Amino acid sequence: MSTVALITARGLFGRRRALLLLPLPLLLVGLAAICRAYGVSPDMWGTAVIVGLGTSVVLPVVALIVGTGVLGSEIDDGTIVHILTKPLPRRDIILAKYAVAASVTAVTTAVPLYLTGLLAGSAKLGAALAVAAVVGALAYSALFLLFSLVSRRPVLLGLVYILVWEGLLGNFVSGTKILSVGQYVATIADKMAPTTIIESSVGLTTALAMSAIFVVLGTIFAINRLGSFSLAGETS
Amino acid sequence: MTTQTLQAETKAPTSGVVELSTVSRWYGNVVAVNDISMTLNPGVTGLLGPNGAGKTTVLHMMAGFLAPSKGAVTIDGKPTWRNPAVYRDLGLVTERESVHGYLTAGQFVTACAKMQKLPDPAAAARRALEQVEMTGAADRRIETFSKGMRQRTRVAAALVHEPRVLLLDEPFNGMDPRQRMHMMELLHRLGDNGHTILFSSHILEEVEQVAGLVQVIVAGRLAASGDYRRIRRLMTNRPHVFAVRSSDDRRLAVALIAEKSVAGIEIEATGMTVRAADYGNFTRVLPRIALDQGIRLQQVVPSDESLESVFSYLLEG
């Protein structure tokens, strides 16, 4: 593990905001467990819990907290300077941070989604959701890492993307679905384990290809932006 | 507006030479740095100027954290912008006090050594912490440190790879006198060892104690550059204005106007304003005259002592 990745990971878990990662996954599994315990049919609660909460809230929000936490918070408090004043290719810095963000997000979301899928139907559904969550974690992390470099308010920008672009527009304007990571996640899960719970709206190939494009373009742009990172003058 | 440029004695350019050639930087319509050229050689140089003059902008351009809008910034001939390789020879201590507080000083400096890809990071970190006398606190988390200790830790981090060039932005800000003296000694030592050290400051006395050479920046322009003592003389020889009140202003005025060091006097209801041509002579002469005349001085206040006026005088010169 590179030093940059180590510092990033310590920074992520050393801050209080790491605690924000816990409640959402716990809520997800908790709700599914309660429904299951009371013997409610998964047809009644599956969509609401898995899609309504799981893939369209827990996954993107965890990705946002982590994705902006690995870089945005260092830019915010100025500690990024200590990493940037080293003769490291900017590519290595972005890739290290991306690796931390994507893997932390993947673990934090794939595990609860697997359990939820298991409770709602079968191990197959659980596995499909876990794989979809990993793909989603990869794509979202690249996007939110880039947001940290294009805006001083990456969390706000990320929330707009999740709530407005994916949440609001995705329901009314079908064209936005092609640029919506949430749709790729739903598609991958649905194609791997077809159920009535999840509905997919784009093709599997499209979903996988677009996820890859998010990852590649997101990191390339992020590397380029980091290369031109400027410090604001602080002559007061 | 003419610029006074006092040429410093130039040493043979060895390594660690920072060069700005006709560098400007603007933000929209605001010009922060205007056509500055300077060469920094090994030794300690002070970057002096009032707040908002553009010192930080200059430092950030030198450190590769800001693109010059015009001109070129190089270290040993290599551009600093979009060129991470320069950090092998460059250390930067920013004004903003930002550290990974959850790391201990030792961990932090070692991490910096590792990112510099040094062969023995632990030994390099120990050496750097020793240089700033922080060895005793190496195992404490940085967030428990005082301001001065944090500053020294950051200097150790910037020094761990023994860069030829070290840039420090307002390193003495917020330090107590002892910490200040310690930092000054450290900069001296590094300069004597052949490092190129540039530190910014808006306080004349700080620069006086550390740097033989100064670059003075006023309103984004290079107002003076060269030997500190010559610039200091220029600054002290400028006309000064004093607000004086005494037991008998008129009689004092008559006596003062005969003095060469006095350029003009205005008498007002509340006292008088004396324009002195020569600060040193006037301040010596005034009490003597008052004593001879049996006049009691009630108030002598230099009315344009702010640093800004000193700097603007340099620009006018």
Side-chain angles (χ1 to χ4, degrees):
Chain A
M1 205 170 178
S2 76
T3 310
V4 177
L6 268 174
I7 291 182
T8 304
R10 283 206 61 173
L12 196 61
F13 294 111
R15 291 170 209 252
R16 202 161 294 165
R17 66 192 273 165
L19 294 176
L20 289 173
L21 296 178
L22 283 176
L24 279 173
L26 287 179
L27 180 70
L28 181 69
V29 180
L31 275 178
I34 290 170
C35 294
R36 177 71 186 251
Y38 283 93
V40 187
S41 154
D43 291 336
M44 308 271 290
W45 58 269
T47 308
V49 173
I50 293 177
V51 180
L53 184 64
T55 59
S56 42
V57 177
V58 176
L59 173 61
V61 169
V62 167
L64 181 64
I65 295 170
V66 177
T68 55
V70 295
L71 186 58
S73 55
E74 281 190 357
I75 293 175
D76 237 20
D77 64 18
T79 49
I80 189 74
V81 172
H82 297 298
I83 290 170
L84 290 180
T85 49
K86 302 294 176 289
L88 301 168
R90 276 27 188 164
R91 186 194 62 223
D92 295 3
I93 297 175
I94 289 293
L95 290 183
K97 292 195 170 281
Y98 176 68
V100 172
S103 47
V104 170
T105 306
V107 170
T108 324
T109 57
V111 173
L113 273 168
Y114 172 79
L115 293 174
T116 313
L118 196 63
L119 291 166
S122 58
K124 193 181 173 200
L125 178 61
L129 280 168
V131 171
V134 171
V135 175
L138 291 169
Y140 276 128
S141 299
L143 185 67
F144 296 144
L145 198 63
L146 178 62
F147 280 3
S148 303
L149 285 160
V150 295
S151 166
R152 291 267 160 186
R153 301 188 190 289
V155 178
L156 189 69
L157 196 61
L159 282 176
V160 168
Y161 175 80
I162 296 168
L163 297 175
V164 179
W165 183 266
E166 293 201 332
L168 205 62
L169 293 179
N171 285 334
F172 301 112
V173 190
S174 61
T176 61
K177 287 180 179 166
I178 192 76
L179 284 176
S180 162
V181 178
Q183 296 297 332
Y184 315 153
V185 172
T187 300
I188 293 165
D190 187 42
K191 299 290 182 200
M192 280 183 68
T195 54
T196 51
I197 293 172
I198 308 167
E199 232 177 84
S200 58
S201 51
V202 293
L204 182 63
T205 324
T206 314
L208 290 171
M210 286 304 294
S211 301
I213 289 174
F214 264 76
V215 173
V216 173
L217 287 186
T219 44
I220 288 177
F221 281 130
I223 291 164
N224 190 46
R225 289 286 304 196
L226 192 68
S228 311
F229 183 84
S230 295
L231 280 174
E234 278 176 286
T235 41
S236 48
Chain B
M1 214 187 293
T2 51
T3 307
Q4 291 176 345
T5 306
L6 308 173
Q7 272 307 316
E9 330 142 38
T10 40
K11 289 182 199 165
T14 47
S15 51
V17 177
V18 182
E19 195 147 24
L20 269 68
S21 47
T22 62
V23 169
S24 297
R25 169 73 205 197
W26 49 82
Y27 299 93
N29 286 331
V30 181
V31 179
V33 166
N34 194 347
D35 200 30
I36 288 187
S37 296
M38 65 168 82
T39 305
L40 305 177
N41 288 306
V44 183
T45 304
L47 183 64
L48 185 62
N51 281 331
K55 300 185 297 290
T56 299
T57 306
V58 167
L59 274 170
H60 284 175
M61 284 194 287
M62 283 179 181
F65 280 108
L66 203 55
S69 306
K70 201 181 125 279
V73 183
T74 58
I75 291 184
D76 290 336
K78 292 172 292 230
T80 57
W81 178 243
R82 282 189 78 94
N83 182 16
V86 298
Y87 298 117
R88 260 188 267 281
D89 289 327
L90 174 69
L92 171 70
V93 182
T94 55
E95 183 181 9
R96 191 168 168 191
E97 193 196 301
S98 51
V99 267
H100 297 87
Y102 48 87
L103 298 178
T104 68
Q107 287 170 336
F108 174 60
V109 180
T110 310
C112 287
K114 281 186 184 154
M115 289 191 280
Q116 285 286 356
K117 307 232 163 32
L118 300 182
D120 188 350
R126 263 199 309 278
R127 205 169 44 236
L129 284 165
E130 220 164 86
Q131 255 183 318
V132 298
E133 290 174 26
M134 284 290 294
T135 314
D139 295 327
R140 272 174 56 194
R141 283 156 77 99
I142 299 172
E143 56 200 4
T144 66
F145 285 174
S146 70
K147 177 148 184 148
M149 290 168 85
R150 281 176 199 221
Q151 189 80 315
R152 267 146 63 193
T153 310
R154 297 200 301 138
V155 172
L159 278 178
V160 73
H161 57 299
E162 301 184 350
R164 285 186 284 222
V165 179
L166 181 65
L167 308 173
L168 307 100
D169 199 359
E170 297 277 359
F172 303 108
N173 259 7
M175 283 195 167
D176 64 36
R178 203 183 51 85
Q179 293 167 337
R180 201 175 283 234
M181 203 160 76
H182 188 271
M183 178 68 76
M184 285 176 178
E185 280 167 18
L186 176 65
L187 296 187
H188 258 307
R189 210 163 55 229
L190 291 168
D192 293 344
N193 289 345
H195 294 265
T196 302
I197 311 285
L198 179 75
F199 72 96
S200 72
S201 173
H202 60 280
I203 298 166
L204 277 170
E205 287 66 28
E206 280 179 1
V207 179
E208 185 172 22
Q209 289 172 44
V210 189
L213 294 174
V214 284
Q215 308 278 349
V216 184
I217 293 184
V218 182
R221 286 173 168 275
L222 192 64
S225 91
D227 181 69
Y228 176 78
R229 283 179 300 276
R230 291 173 67 183
I231 291 171
R232 178 82 208 196
R233 214 171 305 135
L234 267 175
M235 289 179 177
T236 45
N237 287 352
R238 77 207 166 89
H240 281 65
V241 179
F242 292 87
V244 179
R245 263 190 324 158
S246 67
S247 54
D248 189 341
D249 287 347
R250 267 174 206 283
R251 211 147 54 79
L252 182 62
V254 170
L256 278 178
I257 202 76
E259 280 300 321
K260 251 205 224 131
S261 59
V262 175
I265 299 176
E266 269 170 51
I267 300 191
E268 292 138 32
T270 53
M272 57 181 176
T273 307
V274 181
R275 270 177 291 119
D278 178 335
Y279 183 96
N281 268 336
F282 174 73
T283 47
R284 274 189 297 276
V285 153
L286 178 65
R288 189 169 46 80
I289 289 180
L291 194 66
D292 291 349
Q293 303 282 331
I295 296 170
R296 228 150 85 97
L297 287 171
Q298 289 156 345
Q299 184 199 52
V300 180
V301 179
S303 57
D304 64 349
E305 262 307 82
S306 79
L307 195 61
E308 276 73 10
S309 76
V310 177
F311 287 129
S312 60
Y313 168 71
L314 273 179
L315 266 191
E316 285 159 18

